[in-house]
Amino acid sequence: MNLLVKIVLLITFGVLNSFLYVQANSLEYDGWLNIALYHALDYDEPTKFTLRGNVTITNRNTGLASVAQEPLSLQDRNKLKRLAQENRLYRLQAHVTDSDGVTTFLTSSKACALAKSQLTDVLWVSLDHTGTVTGVTQSVSNGNTNNCLDLTTSDVDVLDEFNTDVYVKHTESAPIPDTASFIQKMEREREARERGETKDNRSFFAKYWMYLVPVVILLLISATNPEAGQQR
């Protein structure tokens, strides 16, 4: 009976993993996503977010995306320059819209790094096995981010438009267990036990340790307390 229960559980687990794997690899090719980007540039009003642009993912399976972003005005460039010089964070809100509604994610990077990279960044969009967005993360690659006090007017003038790459990351499915081979092995072992072909090749101690250990403990107790025996 126990063997039957184990077999049923293994089959159920295998079928469930197979279903999740198929579902993760059969996302709708026309499943769209729209991500509205808002950034906080105002040093004096850190909770104020203004529109930066939009990202449209037309194919969740392949990650095909198009990006349309607003160029920075002179005022916005100076705001970003101040954030960089003050070693503050550049914060980005991503409002994800799909067929289920709108979900907001918050990500950030060093304003100095963004300025030094001339507004070049990467957006990582993470999807679970159902194709639902679980996170939007911005990353900026630039090695010299320790000091932005030397940003000049000419450095700020080139901070005109964002150059953004979008990558879609799918959740990797867990490996599907080979339940068929395991069940066959269990069946062979059960049949061998029923025919009496299975031999116990364990050592003497491995077979009878549960009987030997209490005896050893009693002997150790007696050896460490000889006076108790003399008093009796």
Side-chain angles (χ1 to χ4, degrees), residues 35-39 50-56 66-73 90 92-93 114 118-123 138 160-166:
I35 304 176
L37 302 176
Y38 295 85
H39 53 188
T50 56
L51 181 65
R52 164 175 156 172
N54 285 278
V55 176
T56 302
S66 60
V67 183
Q69 302 187 89
E70 299 288 335
L72 288 182
S73 64
Y90 169 83
L92 184 68
Q93 277 187 355
L114 187 61
Q118 297 185 357
L119 304 184
T120 299
D121 61 356
V122 175
L123 284 183
Q138 180 205 35
D160 184 13
E161 294 185 357
F162 285 93
N163 180 22
T164 303
D165 291 323
V166 179

Side-chain angles (χ1 to χ4, degrees), residues 77 115 118-119 153-161:
R77 295 176 204 168
Q118 297 185 357
L119 304 184
T153 303
S154 59
D155 293 329
V156 176
D157 287 340
V158 299
L159 303 180
D160 184 13
E161 294 185 357

